[in-house]
Amino acid sequence: MSVDRPEGVHPLARLPEEWELVMARAGQPKYRARQVFRWLHAHGTLTPEAMSDLPRPLRARLAEQDLALDAEVSTVRRAPDGTRKLLLRLPGDALVECVMIPMTKLPEQSDDADLAAVPEDDDDDDGPTRVTVCLSTQHGCAMGCVFCASGRAGLLRGLSAAEIVEQVRVARAHLEPGEQLRNLVLMGMGEPLHHYDETARALRVLTHPDGMDLSLRRITVSTVGLVPGIDKLGRDFGGKVGLAVSLHAPTDELRTRIVPMNARHGLAEIMAALRRYPLPRRRRITLEYTLMQDVNDAAEHARALIDLVRGLRVKINLIPMNPVPGADFGGSSPERVLAFQAALRRAGLSCFVRVRRGDAVEGACGQLALGAEAGTLVRSIGRKPVNSKG
Ligand code: SAH
């Protein structure tokens, strides 16, 4: 993963072993690398002047380059449920969103019901409020799922590892008293496995013990089902990072209409990849299933889904589709959602309905950055209606 020319990597995305090279070239001892990395990521300090255990000449040298990213938080919107949406303006005027979701327990909810793939939590009620942060990996998206606003204008550009890390830094700076950043979900804009190298680098920086030291087990990468990326993620992180797959349909015929990428990697191929994912004991893969009324929410779909996942260690998260402009179909009614869930549960599957969070700030799934760039992002789906036959 580390590179020979770390000077070409943004300082915020350099790993300690890369800082060692940079330090060696500056005539500094190796251990300075860890000191700098710690300042940047454990303390969150980007001003070399404040890095008090570094010699002055080194601080001066660090001050010659920009340690901070040219990013600005342009909006913070807060929903009554505590969900906050941060809009980051990145270089090149890319507007990217990240959503902070405090995991307050409502009486009727289990931990699992809270948010799709958030990994199992140890349960103590008196501790700090745990915040899950939903990150974006690309500006726009190339996958073209018909019910998702993020990809309407296609892929504008991938975010650098530094820009992915920056979202976490900004979120940390927006924690409120009593809150603790706990889980990360890569479920914002973009397809993380279509942007593998920068995503993987960001994960390594964020989980490094000398930095923020976030736990891989509390990070979930959500993918449309890019099989080579799933395999790579499993190899590179030994299966420790949580995996969520956006399934949405139990047959290739229907899935290809909803998730065009299915034409490239079909369900059999995806299921085979999930079977070989090196999942630790007692962990499960999350399958996300966005429910669209009269599209994928009938009893026959539930039956086909049960057959499809037989023998796999999965939990299924049902997400009633959030409305997006221009779509000629919408989310399933609460009755149909519950009926679908009941069918899966009768078959012994672990299945939760994702509670809607953040729609008041347009921070719900599939709505990211839509409002901000409505003029450029919204165009009609331009495909035959997904609920037409054949
Ligand atoms: N590209 C990745 C991650 C980003 S999307 C993926 O496909 O998994 C994160 C999740 O939000 C996916 O499960 C996606 O299908 C879902 N989603 C997108 N638009 C939605 C909408 N309008 N309503 C509900 N869920 C949506």
Side-chain angles (χ1 to χ4, degrees):
M1 182 77 207
S2 69
V3 294
D4 299 335
R5 295 170 42 77
E7 290 82 0
V9 177
H10 190 279
L12 272 182
R14 281 179 206 155
L15 291 158
E17 54 270 32
E18 294 167 337
W19 276 108
E20 279 178 11
L21 265 176
V22 174
M23 290 296 134
R25 284 172 192 161
Q28 293 287 334
K30 248 181 161 180
Y31 65 86
R32 297 279 181 229
R34 253 149 247 278
Q35 287 178 309
V36 173
F37 189 82
R38 231 174 260 140
W39 279 113
L40 297 179
H41 299 289
H43 304 295
T45 302
L46 303 188
T47 359
E49 207 32 59
M51 301 182 179
S52 48
D53 57 359
L54 301 184
R56 290 209 170 272
L58 176 57
R59 289 191 236 169
R61 205 177 161 125
L62 286 173
E64 285 163 16
Q65 54 184 316
D66 244 339
L67 298 181
L69 204 70
D70 182 17
E72 149 199 347
V73 181
S74 68
T75 323
V76 181
R77 290 173 71 191
R78 199 175 202 295
D81 65 8
T83 302
R84 275 100 78 194
K85 182 171 83 163
L86 310 178
L87 189 58
L88 267 71
R89 188 178 295 279
L90 295 171
D93 266 355
L95 286 177
V96 159
E97 300 195 346
C98 101
V99 184
M100 300 174 71
I101 310 152
M103 295 288 136
T104 35
K105 287 202 186 89
L106 305 175
E108 75 277 17
Q109 256 170 240
S110 76
D111 257 2
D112 265 324
D114 238 2
L115 195 106
V118 175
E120 287 81 10
D121 220 341
D122 19 306
D123 216 31
D124 60 287
D125 278 325
D126 307 325
T129 303
R130 279 126 186 203
V131 174
T132 292
V133 178
C134 179
L135 302 179
S136 296
T137 54
Q138 298 178 317
H139 184 215
C141 183
M143 299 297 113
C145 303
V146 294
F147 53 87
C148 176
S150 297
R152 290 284 177 84
L155 177 61
L156 302 174
R157 74 168 172 86
L159 304 188
S160 67
E163 290 171 330
I164 299 170
V165 170
E166 178 68 9
Q167 293 171 58
V168 183
R169 286 177 27 82
V170 168
R172 266 211 318 186
H174 282 83
L175 286 173
E176 294 175 359
E179 286 185 341
Q180 184 190 61
L181 195 159
R182 177 78 160 192
N183 298 300
L184 296 180
V185 292
L186 278 64
M187 295 184 183
M189 291 182 89
E191 167 52 48
L193 299 185
H194 183 226
H195 193 49
Y196 187 88
D197 290 346
E198 295 299 308
T199 299
R201 172 179 283 280
L203 293 182
R204 290 190 198 285
V205 169
L206 293 166
T207 56
H208 198 286
D210 289 327
M212 285 190 226
D213 197 19
L214 297 173
S215 161
L216 270 178
R217 291 188 307 116
R218 299 209 174 92
I219 300 180
T220 298
V221 174
S222 179
T223 177
V224 76
L226 300 187
V227 169
I230 295 175
D231 285 338
K232 208 149 181 256
L233 195 72
R235 267 200 310 276
D236 289 353
F237 295 94
K240 287 198 192 69
V241 65
L243 179 66
V245 175
S246 296
L247 206 65
H248 309 318
T251 63
D252 281 321
E253 191 271 327
L254 179 59
R255 189 164 191 268
T256 301
R257 279 194 277 148
I258 303 176
V259 179
M261 190 36 77
N262 193 68
R264 180 93 59 87
H265 301 290
L267 284 170
E269 203 194 326
I270 293 173
M271 291 300 135
L274 299 191
R275 267 185 215 103
R276 59 179 181 259
Y277 191 76
L279 198 63
R281 274 160 38 115
R282 294 196 297 167
R283 293 296 300 270
R284 281 173 294 173
I285 290 170
T286 301
L287 299 179
E288 293 155 281
Y289 196 103
T290 295
L291 283 166
M292 300 161 227
Q293 179 94 25
D294 298 325
V295 175
N296 64 352
D297 66 348
E300 60 177 283
H301 300 118
R303 274 196 300 276
L305 182 58
I306 291 162
D307 285 343
L308 182 71
V309 304
R310 190 153 281 139
L312 266 175
R313 261 189 293 150
V314 292
K315 70 175 173 211
I316 298 175
N317 274 296
L318 302 176
I319 321 166
M321 181 195 150
N322 291 305
V324 292
D328 53 3
F329 49 92
S332 304
S333 67
E335 298 74 46
R336 285 180 78 99
V337 172
L338 289 178
F340 201 87
Q341 180 187 32
L344 299 186
R345 287 201 159 161
R346 273 198 303 277
L349 287 169
S350 149
C351 174
F352 303 91
V353 178
R354 191 190 295 184
V355 174
R356 281 175 72 147
R357 301 291 300 266
D359 30 355
V361 289
E362 282 164 351
C365 302
Q367 301 183 325
L368 295 187
L370 176 68
E373 285 173 292
T376 51
L377 272 181
V378 182
R379 65 173 159 76
S380 101
I381 287 176
R383 292 184 180 84
K384 75 180 171 187
V386 292
N387 51 358
S388 73
K389 290 269 176 235

